[in-house]
PDB file of all heavy atoms in Angstrom:
ATOM      1  N   PHE G  58      -5.292  51.615 -58.949  1.00 91.00           N
ATOM      2  CA  PHE G  58      -3.925  51.534 -58.433  1.00 91.00           C
ATOM      3  C   PHE G  58      -3.619  50.148 -57.882  1.00 91.00           C
ATOM      4  O   PHE G  58      -4.452  49.587 -57.169  1.00 91.00           O
ATOM      5  CB  PHE G  58      -3.712  52.590 -57.347  1.00 91.00           C
ATOM      6  CG  PHE G  58      -2.300  52.632 -56.846  1.00 91.00           C
ATOM      7  CD1 PHE G  58      -1.299  53.173 -57.633  1.00 91.00           C
ATOM      8  CD2 PHE G  58      -1.973  52.128 -55.607  1.00 91.00           C
ATOM      9  CE1 PHE G  58       0.009  53.188 -57.189  1.00 91.00           C
ATOM     10  CE2 PHE G  58      -0.680  52.147 -55.152  1.00 91.00           C
ATOM     11  CZ  PHE G  58       0.324  52.677 -55.943  1.00 91.00           C
ATOM     12  N   ASP G  60      -1.674  51.356 -61.039  1.00 93.00           N
ATOM     13  CA  ASP G  60      -2.176  51.588 -62.383  1.00 93.00           C
ATOM     14  C   ASP G  60      -1.021  51.805 -63.342  1.00 93.00           C
ATOM     15  O   ASP G  60      -0.303  52.787 -63.266  1.00 93.00           O
ATOM     16  CB  ASP G  60      -3.091  52.819 -62.375  1.00 93.00           C
ATOM     17  CG  ASP G  60      -3.978  52.879 -63.598  1.00 93.00           C
ATOM     18  OD1 ASP G  60      -3.474  52.599 -64.705  1.00 93.00           O
ATOM     19  OD2 ASP G  60      -5.161  53.203 -63.449  1.00 93.00           O
ATOM     20  N   TYR G  61      -0.844  50.858 -64.258  1.00 95.00           N
ATOM     21  CA  TYR G  61       0.274  50.945 -65.198  1.00 95.00           C
ATOM     22  C   TYR G  61       0.058  52.011 -66.265  1.00 95.00           C
ATOM     23  O   TYR G  61       0.958  52.320 -67.033  1.00 95.00           O
ATOM     24  CB  TYR G  61       0.493  49.589 -65.879  1.00 95.00           C
ATOM     25  CG  TYR G  61       0.945  48.473 -64.952  1.00 95.00           C
ATOM     26  CD1 TYR G  61       1.119  48.688 -63.591  1.00 95.00           C
ATOM     27  CD2 TYR G  61       1.190  47.201 -65.453  1.00 95.00           C
ATOM     28  CE1 TYR G  61       1.539  47.663 -62.753  1.00 95.00           C
ATOM     29  CE2 TYR G  61       1.611  46.164 -64.620  1.00 95.00           C
ATOM     30  CZ  TYR G  61       1.775  46.399 -63.274  1.00 95.00           C
ATOM     31  OH  TYR G  61       2.188  45.392 -62.445  1.00 95.00           O
ATOM     32  N   ALA G  63      -1.278  55.154 -65.517  1.00 96.00           N
ATOM     33  CA  ALA G  63      -1.260  56.496 -64.937  1.00 96.00           C
ATOM     34  C   ALA G  63      -0.100  57.301 -65.520  1.00 96.00           C
ATOM     35  O   ALA G  63       0.972  56.763 -65.813  1.00 96.00           O
ATOM     36  CB  ALA G  63      -1.119  56.414 -63.420  1.00 96.00           C
ATOM     37  N   MET G  67       2.487  61.817 -61.272  1.00 98.00           N
ATOM     38  CA  MET G  67       1.212  61.679 -60.586  1.00 98.00           C
ATOM     39  C   MET G  67       1.135  62.707 -59.462  1.00 98.00           C
ATOM     40  O   MET G  67       2.135  62.987 -58.798  1.00 98.00           O
ATOM     41  CB  MET G  67       1.065  60.268 -60.025  1.00 98.00           C
ATOM     42  CG  MET G  67       1.055  59.183 -61.093  1.00 98.00           C
ATOM     43  SD  MET G  67       0.748  57.511 -60.444  1.00 98.00           S
ATOM     44  CE  MET G  67       2.344  57.132 -59.695  1.00 98.00           C
ATOM     45  N   VAL G  85       5.835  58.744 -59.627  1.00 98.00           N
ATOM     46  CA  VAL G  85       6.433  58.230 -60.863  1.00 98.00           C
ATOM     47  C   VAL G  85       5.824  56.870 -61.206  1.00 98.00           C
ATOM     48  O   VAL G  85       5.753  55.973 -60.363  1.00 98.00           O
ATOM     49  CB  VAL G  85       7.957  58.086 -60.707  1.00 98.00           C
ATOM     50  CG1 VAL G  85       8.554  57.314 -61.881  1.00 98.00           C
ATOM     51  CG2 VAL G  85       8.606  59.461 -60.590  1.00 98.00           C
ATOM     52  N   ASN G  86       5.377  56.735 -62.449  1.00 98.00           N
ATOM     53  CA  ASN G  86       4.978  55.444 -63.005  1.00 98.00           C
ATOM     54  C   ASN G  86       6.094  54.984 -63.934  1.00 98.00           C
ATOM     55  O   ASN G  86       6.323  55.602 -64.981  1.00 98.00           O
ATOM     56  CB  ASN G  86       3.659  55.583 -63.781  1.00 98.00           C
ATOM     57  CG  ASN G  86       3.285  54.307 -64.529  1.00 98.00           C
ATOM     58  OD1 ASN G  86       3.919  53.262 -64.375  1.00 98.00           O
ATOM     59  ND2 ASN G  86       2.246  54.393 -65.353  1.00 98.00           N
ATOM     60  N   PRO G  87       6.812  53.908 -63.598  1.00 98.00           N
ATOM     61  CA  PRO G  87       7.947  53.481 -64.424  1.00 98.00           C
ATOM     62  C   PRO G  87       7.556  53.042 -65.823  1.00 98.00           C
ATOM     63  O   PRO G  87       8.411  52.988 -66.717  1.00 98.00           O
ATOM     64  CB  PRO G  87       8.556  52.326 -63.628  1.00 98.00           C
ATOM     65  CG  PRO G  87       7.430  51.819 -62.777  1.00 98.00           C
ATOM     66  CD  PRO G  87       6.621  53.040 -62.426  1.00 98.00           C
ATOM     67  N   TYR G  88       6.272  52.743 -66.041  1.00 98.00           N
ATOM     68  CA  TYR G  88       5.814  52.406 -67.383  1.00 98.00           C
ATOM     69  C   TYR G  88       5.595  53.647 -68.234  1.00 98.00           C
ATOM     70  O   TYR G  88       5.321  53.535 -69.432  1.00 98.00           O
ATOM     71  CB  TYR G  88       4.528  51.588 -67.317  1.00 98.00           C
ATOM     72  CG  TYR G  88       4.723  50.183 -66.797  1.00 98.00           C
ATOM     73  CD1 TYR G  88       4.242  49.816 -65.550  1.00 98.00           C
ATOM     74  CD2 TYR G  88       5.395  49.232 -67.550  1.00 98.00           C
ATOM     75  CE1 TYR G  88       4.420  48.532 -65.065  1.00 98.00           C
ATOM     76  CE2 TYR G  88       5.583  47.938 -67.083  1.00 98.00           C
ATOM     77  CZ  TYR G  88       5.097  47.594 -65.837  1.00 98.00           C
ATOM     78  OH  TYR G  88       5.279  46.321 -65.362  1.00 98.00           O
ATOM     79  N   TYR G 113       6.962  54.050 -56.267  1.00 98.00           N
ATOM     80  CA  TYR G 113       6.116  53.050 -55.617  1.00 98.00           C
ATOM     81  C   TYR G 113       6.672  51.639 -55.831  1.00 98.00           C
ATOM     82  O   TYR G 113       6.156  50.854 -56.637  1.00 98.00           O
ATOM     83  CB  TYR G 113       4.681  53.173 -56.132  1.00 98.00           C
ATOM     84  CG  TYR G 113       4.004  54.433 -55.648  1.00 98.00           C
ATOM     85  CD1 TYR G 113       4.107  55.621 -56.373  1.00 98.00           C
ATOM     86  CD2 TYR G 113       3.300  54.451 -54.456  1.00 98.00           C
ATOM     87  CE1 TYR G 113       3.508  56.786 -55.915  1.00 98.00           C
ATOM     88  CE2 TYR G 113       2.699  55.606 -53.991  1.00 98.00           C
ATOM     89  CZ  TYR G 113       2.808  56.772 -54.724  1.00 98.00           C
ATOM     90  OH  TYR G 113       2.223  57.921 -54.263  1.00 98.00           O
ATOM     91  N   LEU G 114       7.710  51.318 -55.089  1.00 98.00           N
ATOM     92  CA  LEU G 114       8.292  49.977 -55.178  1.00 98.00           C
ATOM     93  C   LEU G 114       7.266  48.938 -54.725  1.00 98.00           C
ATOM     94  O   LEU G 114       6.519  49.155 -53.776  1.00 98.00           O
ATOM     95  CB  LEU G 114       9.535  49.884 -54.296  1.00 98.00           C
ATOM     96  CG  LEU G 114      10.664  50.869 -54.589  1.00 98.00           C
ATOM     97  CD1 LEU G 114      11.817  50.661 -53.597  1.00 98.00           C
ATOM     98  CD2 LEU G 114      11.167  50.721 -56.028  1.00 98.00           C
ATOM     99  N   GLY G 115       7.250  47.818 -55.412  1.00 97.00           N
ATOM    100  CA  GLY G 115       6.303  46.760 -55.070  1.00 97.00           C
ATOM    101  C   GLY G 115       5.000  46.895 -55.824  1.00 97.00           C
ATOM    102  O   GLY G 115       4.487  45.912 -56.364  1.00 97.00           O
ATOM    103  N   TYR G 116       4.452  48.089 -55.879  1.00 97.00           N
ATOM    104  CA  TYR G 116       3.251  48.303 -56.675  1.00 97.00           C
ATOM    105  C   TYR G 116       3.579  48.186 -58.157  1.00 97.00           C
ATOM    106  O   TYR G 116       2.760  47.714 -58.946  1.00 97.00           O
ATOM    107  CB  TYR G 116       2.656  49.676 -56.373  1.00 97.00           C
ATOM    108  CG  TYR G 116       2.122  49.794 -54.969  1.00 97.00           C
ATOM    109  CD1 TYR G 116       2.843  50.443 -53.979  1.00 97.00           C
ATOM    110  CD2 TYR G 116       0.897  49.232 -54.634  1.00 97.00           C
ATOM    111  CE1 TYR G 116       2.349  50.544 -52.686  1.00 97.00           C
ATOM    112  CE2 TYR G 116       0.388  49.330 -53.351  1.00 97.00           C
ATOM    113  CZ  TYR G 116       1.126  49.987 -52.379  1.00 97.00           C
ATOM    114  OH  TYR G 116       0.635  50.076 -51.102  1.00 97.00           O
ATOM    115  N   TYR G 117       4.759  48.644 -58.511  1.00 97.00           N
ATOM    116  CA  TYR G 117       5.280  48.457 -59.868  1.00 97.00           C
ATOM    117  C   TYR G 117       6.459  47.490 -59.782  1.00 97.00           C
ATOM    118  O   TYR G 117       7.311  47.620 -58.902  1.00 97.00           O
ATOM    119  CB  TYR G 117       5.723  49.786 -60.462  1.00 97.00           C
ATOM    120  CG  TYR G 117       4.587  50.760 -60.668  1.00 97.00           C
ATOM    121  CD1 TYR G 117       4.420  51.861 -59.825  1.00 97.00           C
ATOM    122  CD2 TYR G 117       3.680  50.584 -61.705  1.00 97.00           C
ATOM    123  CE1 TYR G 117       3.373  52.753 -60.010  1.00 97.00           C
ATOM    124  CE2 TYR G 117       2.627  51.474 -61.893  1.00 97.00           C
ATOM    125  CZ  TYR G 117       2.483  52.558 -61.047  1.00 97.00           C
ATOM    126  OH  TYR G 117       1.448  53.433 -61.231  1.00 97.00           O
ATOM    127  N   PRO G 118       6.548  46.525 -60.695  1.00 97.00           N
ATOM    128  CA  PRO G 118       7.529  45.443 -60.557  1.00 97.00           C
ATOM    129  C   PRO G 118       8.930  45.804 -61.066  1.00 97.00           C
ATOM    130  O   PRO G 118       9.429  45.226 -62.030  1.00 97.00           O
ATOM    131  CB  PRO G 118       6.897  44.314 -61.389  1.00 97.00           C
ATOM    132  CG  PRO G 118       6.131  45.027 -62.455  1.00 97.00           C
ATOM    133  CD  PRO G 118       5.591  46.264 -61.793  1.00 97.00           C
ATOM    134  N   PHE G 119       9.540  46.752 -60.388  1.00 98.00           N
ATOM    135  CA  PHE G 119      10.904  47.156 -60.688  1.00 98.00           C
ATOM    136  C   PHE G 119      11.625  47.394 -59.368  1.00 98.00           C
ATOM    137  O   PHE G 119      11.067  48.011 -58.454  1.00 98.00           O
ATOM    138  CB  PHE G 119      10.941  48.459 -61.505  1.00 98.00           C
ATOM    139  CG  PHE G 119      10.258  48.372 -62.841  1.00 98.00           C
ATOM    140  CD1 PHE G 119       8.893  48.605 -62.953  1.00 98.00           C
ATOM    141  CD2 PHE G 119      10.977  48.050 -63.988  1.00 98.00           C
ATOM    142  CE1 PHE G 119       8.249  48.535 -64.181  1.00 98.00           C
ATOM    143  CE2 PHE G 119      10.343  47.969 -65.221  1.00 98.00           C
ATOM    144  CZ  PHE G 119       8.979  48.206 -65.318  1.00 98.00           C
ATOM    145  N   TYR G 126      14.816  53.813 -63.445  1.00 98.00           N
ATOM    146  CA  TYR G 126      14.735  54.947 -62.521  1.00 98.00           C
ATOM    147  C   TYR G 126      15.954  55.869 -62.565  1.00 98.00           C
ATOM    148  O   TYR G 126      15.958  56.900 -61.895  1.00 98.00           O
ATOM    149  CB  TYR G 126      14.536  54.442 -61.095  1.00 98.00           C
ATOM    150  CG  TYR G 126      13.185  53.826 -60.842  1.00 98.00           C
ATOM    151  CD1 TYR G 126      13.082  52.529 -60.326  1.00 98.00           C
ATOM    152  CD2 TYR G 126      12.011  54.521 -61.092  1.00 98.00           C
ATOM    153  CE1 TYR G 126      11.843  51.958 -60.071  1.00 98.00           C
ATOM    154  CE2 TYR G 126      10.766  53.952 -60.856  1.00 98.00           C
ATOM    155  CZ  TYR G 126      10.689  52.672 -60.350  1.00 98.00           C
ATOM    156  OH  TYR G 126       9.462  52.100 -60.108  1.00 98.00           O
ATOM    157  N   TYR G 156       9.963  43.369 -54.724  1.00 98.00           N
ATOM    158  CA  TYR G 156      10.463  44.654 -55.216  1.00 98.00           C
ATOM    159  C   TYR G 156      10.420  45.748 -54.141  1.00 98.00           C
ATOM    160  O   TYR G 156      11.059  46.786 -54.294  1.00 98.00           O
ATOM    161  CB  TYR G 156       9.660  45.110 -56.433  1.00 98.00           C
ATOM    162  CG  TYR G 156       9.773  44.174 -57.603  1.00 98.00           C
ATOM    163  CD1 TYR G 156       8.735  43.310 -57.931  1.00 98.00           C
ATOM    164  CD2 TYR G 156      10.929  44.144 -58.388  1.00 98.00           C
ATOM    165  CE1 TYR G 156       8.838  42.445 -59.009  1.00 98.00           C
ATOM    166  CE2 TYR G 156      11.039  43.277 -59.455  1.00 98.00           C
ATOM    167  CZ  TYR G 156       9.993  42.421 -59.766  1.00 98.00           C
ATOM    168  OH  TYR G 156      10.101  41.561 -60.828  1.00 98.00           O
TER     169      TYR G 156
END
Side-chain angles (χ1 to χ4, degrees):
F58 184 73
D60 198 318
Y61 294 1
M67 297 185 285
V85 169
N86 173 8
Y88 289 110
Y113 290 89
L114 302 179
Y116 293 101
Y117 295 106
F119 299 86
Y126 290 125
Y156 297 104

